[in-house]
Amino acid sequence: MQVRRRIYDGVCRSGLRRRARITEGSRLPTIRDVAQHAGVAPSTVSYVFNGSRPISDETRRRVQEAVDALGYHPRASARTLRSSRTHVIALALPRPAGQRNAVDGPFAIEVSDAAVRLGYDLLLTTSQDKAEGLRRVALSGLADAAVLMAVDMEDARIDVVRELAFPAALIGRPADEDALPWTDLDWEEAAALVVSELAAAGHREMVYLAPTEAEVVARRSYALRGIAGATRGARSTGAAVTVAHAVDDPAGLARRLRVLLTERADGGAGGRPTALIVQHPSAHHHILTSVTDAGLRIPEDLTVVVIGALPGDPAGRRLPRVELPVETLAGEVTRLAVAAATALHETAAGDVEAGPRLLADAVGHLLIAPALLPGDMPLTAPRA
Amino acid sequence: MQVRRRIYDGVCRSGLRRRARITEGSRLPTIRDVAQHAGVAPSTVSYVFNGSRPISDETRRRVQEAVDALGYHPRASARTLRSSRTHVIALALPRPAGQRNAVDGPFAIEVSDAAVRLGYDLLLTTSQDKAEGLRRVALSGLADAAVLMAVDMEDARIDVVRELAFPAALIGRPADEDALPWTDLDWEEAAALVVSELAAAGHREMVYLAPTEAEVVARRSYALRGIAGATRGARSTGAAVTVAHAVDDPAGLARRLRVLLTERADGGAGGRPTALIVQHPSAHHHILTSVTDAGLRIPEDLTVVVIGALPGDPAGRRLPRVELPVETLAGEVTRLAVAAATALHETAAGDVEAGPRLLADAVGHLLIAPALLPGDMPLTAPRA
DNA sequence: ACATCGCGTCGAATCGATTCGACGAAGTGG
DNA sequence: CCACTTCGTCGAATCGATTCGACGCGATGT
């Protein structure tokens, strides 16, 4: 405190300030204040901070001391303006109001944590218009890279970031797998795995509860791939798998399940379904209640398996499930985004075409193989 | 598409750029490019954008045309550096890893939406060290204001923002209600209301399932206030209310509930509890399953009421509940934060002491009165 | 002994907006 | 008709960092 006062009174610069702008009062210290306090040039202080040139121990110590004494913290905007690095990652979470998804929050928090670990902050953009919000963030230079959630098979944002040569990585596997780096659970394999395990356990009739129809119509990647996997599993095992779309309203879901699970009487392999596979994230929590509401007992009447369950957030009783490795996916996608940003920045100077080319080359993927975890309930078919 | 292509090939800009700095390649247009294209001074373009001085219609038109032609978008960092406004709000969500809370995600998304509506972006900061992350954001000038979640009764962040004269608003009601603007559901009144309604419906023995012990130890505002309300309700109605802490593990929760709800045999008013009040956000989803696991039927054995339920995200069957008005709270807290930022900025120049004083004066609150919504289940006590 | 090199530091230019004083032109009142 | 305000615009300073060329100096090689 005393130190600060001394500085603001003593040297030429502050006197200059005082006279120039007496009305503004105390001001946060700048790099020049630090330099002056340490008796070095501002550039030297900068080098101490970002280590881009060698600094003697003595100078480093004096600068550090000045920083501590003044409580100096660099202004992000000034840093960014000059260096064109923001140290911010944008998380594009284009969820129309009312279409909440149980995984959004956990993903956002995990991405934020991962970003912090890499020295980045997270800008959360929840634009209705998926592409436009992202374009704005990129053009105004608010972030160095973007992490895209809720990825569609053909996602408009992919074109946007490629056109702008903006570093981005996806949580979700788009149709064009080489367009951008991405990470995802192998939903198709997960669904196929669950179907075949259930078939092996004796189930012949199953219901696959996919995400809502809206998600499918939007061609959301995980929804289509899950359904594809279920279909493939049915083909390869010979089991009958009815694909149904979830509804967000639990009462409606219970009604739909009743129809699907009890009143079903088509000319298939005969009996009613003995297994229910739930891929809809928002249904995980209350699926047991909905099933109960539909008049079915678990496991006596029905085996229930969940795909995409959040680790550590089990749906009441622990059902057999394929978990969504949120932390791994979030960590990796953040790493990919940061890597793309770093690479772009390092080679951007001096080569016009380097940026886009680089971004196109640097695509890495992480496709996580599904594992079927046991729950308290057996997989075995009731009648098997 | 065609338009865009034309722009990138045709106009003076690309030619000019090419010549000026051939090694750097194409560069995003700046305000000077726009000014040149429109035949005006850069400052005039700036005035067109932020309307701080009168501009003739003709000039406005020409500038707008140039902006469209060049696809100009102002750089946020330059704007911030000069004006010291970021148009960013920080959302401080200090959730230690593994302590996920079901309301965090929805709140974050609603605050983001509200911020966008007010012309702000949202920076999500999930620092472990509550105060330090916020201090860093404030000092580095990453945001104009902060919205604080997970508020404790005596929250360290309150001191930080006041010390730094940093605009902030809370989602949660701290002990010192006049320190900062805040919005909250009246948890105390909610709990008292539910207890008294249940008592009126004939219940004499109830269990109040409060948030986890960790939340209570941290003196989280909503947890303490909920418990206080339950206690008050018990006193005023004469009903026996046992306060219990939730555990995040559903199996453990079921076990605890079994003890609380069935094996309880103290010398109270006699019988076992007939009502369960659930305030723990993460238990809402699977409370029915946990109760069933504990061997109890609803509503035959037990009446369950939920406090702080997310609207539109019912816990399976629709229980009687007090909803948490996420959208209203998020919208209002964002408005408060922005108002504080605006006020501070407008009066900061010219008066040294104005900032802190202003922030202290401008505290507004929004305390939302609870409403007990009916569910499919009756409130009536089984034996009443 | 002299050219060379690397280390550590400085000074100045720069990033791209905002903002303020000034100024010509047009309008207004006495 | 002149003084005075208002309108619309310009030019230049400024925000606070980074970054690059240059430079002094001691060590090294021949």
Side-chain angles (χ1 to χ4, degrees):
Chain A
M1 196 51 176
Q2 211 169 2
V3 175
R4 188 174 300 157
R5 181 153 284 290
R6 200 166 359 107
I7 286 150
Y8 280 151
D9 289 343
V11 217
C12 64
R13 178 151 173 290
S14 45
L16 184 126
R17 292 287 149 202
R18 272 285 163 74
R19 236 168 289 130
R21 34 182 65 226
I22 193 150
T23 57
E24 282 228 1
S26 79
R27 194 180 38 91
L28 290 173
T30 73
I31 200 173
R32 303 185 50 157
D33 299 318
V34 175
Q36 195 162 334
H37 187 276
V40 299
S43 49
T44 302
V45 177
S46 177
Y47 294 136
V48 169
F49 263 75
N50 54 42
S52 49
R53 286 205 183 172
I55 293 287
S56 71
D57 288 348
E58 167 61 9
T59 302
R60 187 182 307 277
R61 193 189 54 72
R62 296 236 309 284
V63 167
Q64 189 56 55
E65 189 183 303
V67 165
D68 294 342
L70 300 179
Y72 168 74
H73 200 101
R75 233 68 88 245
S77 56
R79 197 197 273 269
T80 297
L81 176 59
R82 182 58 232 240
S83 67
S84 63
R85 307 206 71 192
T86 61
H87 287 277
V88 168
I89 293 180
L91 180 66
L93 174 42
R95 207 58 86 174
Q99 273 198 38
R100 274 189 214 124
N101 190 309
V103 308
D104 290 344
F107 259 122
I109 292 174
E110 289 295 342
V111 171
S112 172
D113 283 354
V116 167
R117 248 174 273 128
L118 295 170
Y120 283 72
D121 284 303
L122 192 77
L123 191 77
L124 182 62
T125 65
T126 57
S127 156
Q128 317 296 8
D129 183 340
K130 299 178 74 154
E132 212 44 48
L134 187 57
R135 176 184 295 273
R136 190 179 60 79
V137 167
L139 285 177
S140 62
L142 278 166
D144 292 335
V147 169
L148 275 41
M149 293 184 60
V151 174
D152 301 335
M153 276 298 195
E154 298 81 18
D155 201 296
R157 296 170 297 178
I158 295 178
D159 300 328
V160 170
V161 297
R162 301 199 74 186
E163 175 202 333
L164 300 175
F166 190 72
L170 316 177
I171 302 180
R173 180 187 183 185
D176 181 356
E177 307 193 352
D178 297 323
L180 290 175
W182 52 264
T183 67
D184 206 355
L185 171 67
D186 193 338
W187 293 95
E188 179 172 345
E189 195 56 38
L193 170 71
V194 169
V195 168
S196 72
E197 290 286 329
L198 284 169
H203 297 269
R204 306 308 303 160
E205 299 268 334
M206 316 175 192
V207 168
Y208 190 84
L209 190 64
T212 58
E213 195 147 4
E215 301 260 284
V216 175
V217 168
R219 298 184 55 74
R220 203 78 76 211
S221 165
Y222 82 106
L224 296 193
R225 294 190 190 274
I227 293 171
T231 310
R232 170 153 69 81
R235 260 205 316 276
S236 69
T237 61
V241 176
T242 307
V243 173
H245 299 297
V247 288
D248 272 324
D249 167 40
L253 183 61
R255 242 177 289 124
R256 180 167 294 198
L257 286 177
R258 191 196 319 273
V259 173
L260 286 164
L261 298 174
T262 65
E263 301 178 7
R264 190 167 161 279
D266 60 80
R272 60 165 186 81
T274 55
L276 173 66
I277 306 167
V278 183
Q279 197 204 340
H280 183 48
S282 300
H284 291 164
H285 285 119
H286 52 73
I287 188 63
L288 290 180
T289 312
S290 297
V291 167
T292 310
D293 284 358
L296 293 164
R297 289 161 308 158
I298 304 169
E300 294 83 355
D301 300 326
L302 193 69
T303 299
V304 177
V305 181
V306 166
I307 294 184
L310 292 175
D313 181 26
R317 279 175 285 190
R318 292 187 166 263
L319 297 169
R321 69 208 175 278
V322 175
E323 290 190 347
L324 181 63
V326 174
E327 190 179 341
T328 306
L329 290 172
E332 184 61 21
V333 79
T334 309
R335 210 183 323 279
L336 288 170
V338 167
T342 308
L344 175 66
H345 189 261
E346 279 174 0
T347 56
D351 188 349
V352 184
E353 300 302 320
R357 179 158 28 83
L358 184 90
L359 253 33
D361 289 350
V363 290
H365 312 317
L366 177 69
L367 184 62
I368 294 191
L372 181 55
L373 305 180
D376 295 341
M377 308 286 173
L379 278 186
T380 324
R383 305 168 298 168
Chain B
M1 196 49 178
Q2 211 171 358
V3 174
R4 190 174 300 152
R5 180 154 284 292
R6 202 164 359 107
I7 288 153
Y8 279 150
D9 291 342
V11 213
C12 63
R13 175 169 162 273
S14 29
L16 182 127
R17 291 296 142 201
R18 278 279 164 71
R19 235 169 291 129
R21 34 181 62 221
I22 193 146
T23 55
E24 283 228 2
S26 76
R27 190 179 46 91
L28 289 173
T30 74
I31 200 172
R32 303 184 52 152
D33 299 318
V34 175
Q36 194 164 333
H37 188 277
V40 298
S43 50
T44 303
V45 177
S46 177
Y47 294 136
V48 169
F49 262 76
N50 56 40
S52 49
R53 285 205 185 172
I55 292 287
S56 71
D57 290 347
E58 167 62 10
T59 301
R60 187 183 306 277
R61 195 189 54 72
R62 295 238 310 284
V63 168
Q64 189 56 55
E65 190 183 303
V67 166
D68 294 342
L70 301 179
Y72 168 74
H73 201 101
R75 230 70 85 245
S77 56
R79 198 198 272 269
T80 297
L81 175 59
R82 183 58 232 242
S83 68
S84 63
R85 308 206 68 193
T86 61
H87 287 278
V88 168
I89 292 180
L91 181 66
L93 174 43
R95 207 58 87 174
Q99 272 199 37
R100 274 189 215 126
N101 190 308
V103 307
D104 290 344
F107 260 122
I109 292 174
E110 289 294 342
V111 170
S112 171
D113 282 354
V116 167
R117 250 175 271 128
L118 295 171
Y120 283 72
D121 285 302
L122 192 78
L123 192 77
L124 183 63
T125 63
T126 57
S127 155
Q128 317 297 11
D129 184 340
K130 299 180 73 155
E132 213 43 49
L134 187 58
R135 178 185 293 274
R136 192 179 57 82
V137 167
L139 285 176
S140 62
L142 279 166
D144 292 334
V147 169
L148 276 43
M149 292 183 61
V151 174
D152 301 337
M153 275 299 194
E154 298 81 18
D155 201 296
R157 297 170 297 176
I158 295 178
D159 299 328
V160 170
V161 296
R162 299 198 78 186
E163 174 201 335
L164 300 174
F166 190 71
L170 316 177
I171 302 180
R173 181 187 183 183
D176 180 356
E177 307 193 353
D178 297 322
L180 289 175
W182 52 264
T183 68
D184 205 356
L185 171 66
D186 193 338
W187 293 95
E188 178 173 345
E189 195 55 39
L193 170 71
V194 169
V195 168
S196 71
E197 290 286 328
L198 284 169
H203 297 269
R204 307 306 303 158
E205 298 270 335
M206 318 175 191
V207 168
Y208 190 84
L209 190 64
T212 58
E213 195 147 3
E215 302 260 283
V216 175
V217 168
R219 298 186 53 75
R220 202 80 76 210
S221 165
Y222 82 106
L224 295 194
R225 293 188 190 275
I227 293 170
T231 309
R232 171 155 67 84
R235 259 203 318 275
S236 68
T237 62
V241 177
T242 307
V243 173
H245 298 297
V247 288
D248 272 324
D249 167 41
L253 184 61
R255 239 176 291 124
R256 181 166 294 198
L257 286 178
R258 191 195 321 272
V259 174
L260 286 164
L261 297 173
T262 65
E263 302 177 7
R264 189 166 161 279
D266 61 80
R272 60 165 186 81
T274 56
L276 174 66
I277 306 167
V278 183
Q279 198 206 337
H280 182 48
S282 300
H284 291 164
H285 285 119
H286 52 73
I287 188 64
L288 290 180
T289 310
S290 296
V291 167
T292 309
D293 283 359
L296 292 164
R297 287 162 308 158
I298 305 169
E300 294 83 355
D301 300 327
L302 193 69
T303 299
V304 177
V305 181
V306 165
I307 294 184
L310 291 175
D313 181 28
R317 279 175 285 192
R318 291 186 166 264
L319 297 169
R321 69 207 175 279
V322 175
E323 290 191 346
L324 182 64
V326 175
E327 190 179 340
T328 306
L329 290 172
E332 185 59 21
V333 80
T334 310
R335 209 182 325 280
L336 288 170
V338 167
T342 307
L344 176 66
H345 189 260
E346 279 174 1
T347 55
D351 187 350
V352 185
E353 299 301 320
R357 180 155 30 83
L358 185 91
L359 254 33
D361 289 350
V363 291
H365 312 317
L366 178 69
L367 183 62
I368 293 189
L372 180 56
L373 305 179
D376 295 342
M377 308 288 175
L379 278 185
T380 324
R383 306 168 297 170

